[in-house]
Amino acid sequence: LHLESWRSEMKDEINRINQVLPNTTSTAEIQQWIESVTNRMSHFKAEHIRLLKEATTLLELALWKAKIEENEEDALGDVIAKKAK
């Protein structure tokens, strides 16, 4: 979801130069556009990294929980087996 909206925003920002360029004689305006595109890309990159770290943490916690539950089931099975003897 985030990636699609980011892609759309970047396409819009990149396409904006097609509106600006024909009407400008100033390199300052073009440099401002380049800086805007670069800043947006940096922002999206940082946000993407943050989301990846969050997802990694959630995955690690889920795996840790599954391993604990697996160990608890194994221990419970051992207790039941010993009582059956």
Side-chain angles (χ1 to χ4, degrees), residues 21 32 58 67:
L21 195 57
Q32 183 182 16
L58 289 173
K67 187 65 175 174

Side-chain angles (χ1 to χ4, degrees), residues 41-81:
M41 288 175 68
S42 294
H43 167 75
F44 291 142
K45 181 180 176 183
E47 183 67 12
H48 185 68
I49 289 169
R50 186 190 67 76
L51 290 171
L52 285 175
K53 285 182 180 180
E54 183 179 325
T56 301
T57 299
L58 289 173
L59 179 59
E60 287 174 348
L61 288 172
L63 291 172
W64 184 67
K65 181 181 177 188
K67 187 65 175 174
I68 288 174
E69 289 173 352
E70 181 182 307
N71 289 341
E72 287 175 351
E73 288 174 5
D74 289 347
L76 182 59
D78 290 345
V79 169
I80 293 172

Side-chain angles (χ1 to χ4, degrees), residues 15-25 29-30:
N15 287 332
R16 191 171 65 85
I17 195 62
N18 294 327
Q19 297 167 358
V20 172
L21 195 57
N23 302 322
T24 188
T25 57
E29 201 168 352
I30 295 169

Side-chain angles (χ1 to χ4, degrees), residues 6-21 33-34 36-38 40-41:
W6 296 344
R7 183 181 299 121
S8 176
E9 281 188 49
M10 286 309 301
K11 281 182 179 179
D12 291 345
E13 187 65 26
I14 290 169
N15 287 332
R16 191 171 65 85
I17 195 62
N18 294 327
Q19 297 167 358
V20 172
L21 195 57
W33 172 81
I34 291 170
S36 173
V37 169
T38 305
R40 293 303 292 163
M41 288 175 68

